[in-house]
Amino acid sequence: MTDKKPDFSNVVGGSSSTAEPAPSAAVGPPEPRFYVVQKGDSLSKISKQFFGSTSEWRRIHEANRDVIKDPDKIQPGWKLIIPEDKTDKAGEA
């Protein structure tokens, strides 16, 4: 009786096609976006730039209450957090 061992010489290393996919690199909350206020900016103008609507300025104000005391008086050079766009939700196509 001859003990024949399996021949694995043609096996190529790598991952199995049946393995679970690796988790996405974007685990946890998204990195915050920032904007540095320029001369002539207003919260409405910044809102239009990031959200496509001037009416979203309150979201920027809320995210930056520690910096913005009066939403009508923002200063060039201030670094503002821009909240995540409501339409940018994970899992939506």
Side-chain angles (χ1 to χ4, degrees), residues 43-57:
L43 291 182
S44 295
K45 183 177 175 182
I46 297 167
S47 173
K48 176 78 172 172
Q49 178 181 341
F50 284 94
F51 305 120
S53 171
T54 59
S55 64
E56 298 292 320
W57 68 267

